[in-house]
Amino acid sequence: MTPLPVFQLPLQAGHPPLGYESPSVSEPPSANRERDVFLGRQRCLVCGIFEATCNSEVLHRCCIASREFWLKWNDLKRRGWIPFNARRRPYHEPRNMLSLCPSHREYLEGYRFFIRFIPQAQKFVFINYSGIQSLQKFHGKAIPLDIREPDTPFPSVFILHEMRVRGTYPFRPAEPDIPEYQDITWQEWVLSEDLFDNVTGLFRRDRPPGFRYSDEEDVKASTEVPVLQCLGTTIPQGSPSHDMVNADNGVVDEILQATWELASWRACVQEGEARARVEAERGAKISEDSE
């Protein structure tokens, strides 16, 4: 076990390293790409529930840095925590989004858990900071996000959410235990359904040829939405766990450095440049037409 590093306040500003400020690009990546899809199904990244054909309202696209952050969004750009080319509002930026079922959306927005990017493991780890019993099975395990993909969430925005979670539970241990970094595994549903290919190192996104979900699976998925648990039922603070999670400024620097080096950072910059070119061309055309 190892303690999860704790962030020391105030958080530090930063700037992208050389090579990440404004990379050249010939063609922007597709903005319509589905990220949280496994075997052709969009899934809740925490529990794995998928949208059934009989219930299209199972999953939600949720902001990591919530809508309340929209007034601070430009400040995050100036500090180098998100690309300057990111969308103008946090609820428009796909790299500030997660697919979650209704229950885990409530827990996310109610500040019951947080996700910590662990640079040493290159994974996003679920931390059950509230100690709610029903969330404990997800604690210390990674949610299925691939840091190499161009639309992966920025690790830095998870820090902002984590600060609010910690403020909601000021008497919980500051450094909850997690597994040793090399022992961090994917969530159980990812492993049990063999959704990660250990040979290619990629998630199985596409539905195999000829594969068809049964009606029984659809009905089962639509009826297995997790139920919110009473917030009074928690894991005792002295419960044994693994390594510990702390968050000093050195950890912040590591996460910011990892954020700047992600494919999603570069892709966001590229998309922003592409939007700027389109807007400039549109403005030039309007000027020509008005002459």
Side-chain angles (χ1 to χ4, degrees), residues 21-71:
E21 299 91 337
S22 183
S24 59
V25 58
S26 57
E27 182 178 353
S30 171
N32 298 319
R33 183 180 177 280
E34 286 291 343
R35 183 191 66 214
D36 305 333
V37 171
F38 305 88
L39 296 183
R41 297 275 200 184
Q42 187 177 2
R43 311 285 288 261
C44 170
L45 289 176
V46 175
C47 67
I49 192 171
F50 55 79
E51 291 200 14
T53 55
C54 56
N55 186 352
S56 61
E57 300 300 324
V58 170
L59 296 184
H60 302 273
R61 298 288 278 180
C62 311
C63 289
I64 303 163
S66 65
R67 298 174 72 93
E68 304 161 22
F69 274 93
W70 76 271
L71 291 174

Side-chain angles (χ1 to χ4, degrees), residues 178-224:
I178 60 172
E180 296 287 346
Y181 298 147
Q182 68 272 17
D183 297 329
I184 293 174
T185 62
W186 301 112
Q187 293 295 331
E188 184 59 36
W189 60 274
V190 177
L191 300 177
S192 64
E193 298 182 41
D194 195 25
L195 299 179
F196 184 76
D197 189 329
N198 289 307
V199 176
T200 63
L202 301 173
F203 290 107
R204 303 183 194 277
R205 303 289 189 190
D206 299 326
R207 186 179 305 185
F211 181 85
R212 182 179 180 277
Y213 288 101
S214 67
D215 293 338
E216 289 78 9
E217 287 177 302
D218 284 340
V219 172
K220 181 180 179 183
S222 67
T223 57
E224 286 190 344

Side-chain angles (χ1 to χ4, degrees), residues 1-5 127 139-140 175-184 240-246:
M1 308 299 182
T2 188
L4 185 68
I127 306 297
H139 177 78
E175 301 181 340
D177 290 346
I178 60 172
E180 296 287 346
Y181 298 147
Q182 68 272 17
D183 297 329
I184 293 174
S241 34
H242 302 213
D243 236 338
M244 295 181 68
V245 183
N246 63 49

Side-chain angles (χ1 to χ4, degrees), residues 1-272:
M1 308 299 182
T2 188
L4 185 68
V6 177
F7 298 122
Q8 294 179 352
L9 298 178
L11 297 174
Q12 302 298 305
H15 56 82
L18 293 176
Y20 292 93
E21 299 91 337
S22 183
S24 59
V25 58
S26 57
E27 182 178 353
S30 171
N32 298 319
R33 183 180 177 280
E34 286 291 343
R35 183 191 66 214
D36 305 333
V37 171
F38 305 88
L39 296 183
R41 297 275 200 184
Q42 187 177 2
R43 311 285 288 261
C44 170
L45 289 176
V46 175
C47 67
I49 192 171
F50 55 79
E51 291 200 14
T53 55
C54 56
N55 186 352
S56 61
E57 300 300 324
V58 170
L59 296 184
H60 302 273
R61 298 288 278 180
C62 311
C63 289
I64 303 163
S66 65
R67 298 174 72 93
E68 304 161 22
F69 274 93
W70 76 271
L71 291 174
K72 306 178 182 70
W73 198 241
N74 286 336
D75 184 51
L76 295 177
K77 293 181 180 182
R78 287 191 293 269
R79 293 177 181 274
W81 279 56
I82 59 175
F84 191 77
N85 310 70
R87 299 277 182 171
R88 294 179 180 177
R89 296 289 183 266
Y91 42 84
H92 291 156
E93 176 52 63
R95 298 167 188 87
N96 182 41
M97 297 288 182
L98 296 175
S99 295
L100 297 176
C101 66
S103 290
H104 291 118
R105 176 183 182 176
E106 289 288 334
Y107 284 135
L108 177 85
E109 295 178 349
Y111 305 118
R112 310 306 180 194
F113 70 85
F114 61 83
I115 304 294
R116 169 72 74 86
F117 178 69
I118 305 294
Q120 296 88 341
Q122 296 288 280
K123 291 178 178 177
F124 295 82
V125 179
F126 184 100
I127 306 297
N128 178 23
Y129 200 68
S130 64
I132 293 174
Q133 182 71 48
S134 64
L135 296 179
Q136 194 61 20
K137 62 183 177 181
F138 307 114
H139 177 78
K141 299 176 183 177
I143 63 173
L145 290 171
D146 188 341
I147 62 168
R148 296 167 297 180
E149 294 182 345
D151 46 8
T152 296
F154 304 126
S156 53
V157 299
F158 286 106
I159 298 176
L160 305 176
H161 180 260
E162 177 179 336
M163 292 294 99
R164 295 203 168 195
V165 175
R166 288 180 178 274
T168 303
Y169 293 92
F171 302 111
R172 297 293 293 176
E175 301 181 340
D177 290 346
I178 60 172
E180 296 287 346
Y181 298 147
Q182 68 272 17
D183 297 329
I184 293 174
T185 62
W186 301 112
Q187 293 295 331
E188 184 59 36
W189 60 274
V190 177
L191 300 177
S192 64
E193 298 182 41
D194 195 25
L195 299 179
F196 184 76
D197 189 329
N198 289 307
V199 176
T200 63
L202 301 173
F203 290 107
R204 303 183 194 277
R205 303 289 189 190
D206 299 326
R207 186 179 305 185
F211 181 85
R212 182 179 180 277
Y213 288 101
S214 67
D215 293 338
E216 289 78 9
E217 287 177 302
D218 284 340
V219 172
K220 181 180 179 183
S222 67
T223 57
E224 286 190 344
V225 179
V227 177
L228 286 172
Q229 181 177 324
C230 173
L231 298 183
T233 308
T234 60
I235 302 296
Q237 294 188 16
S239 297
S241 34
H242 302 213
D243 236 338
M244 295 181 68
V245 183
N246 63 49
D248 58 25
N249 285 332
V251 176
V252 174
D253 291 341
E254 285 183 354
I255 294 176
L256 286 177
Q257 183 69 33
T259 300
W260 299 329
E261 296 176 359
L262 287 187
S264 61
W265 181 285
R266 297 192 294 272
C268 184
V269 172
Q270 294 168 2
E271 291 173 10

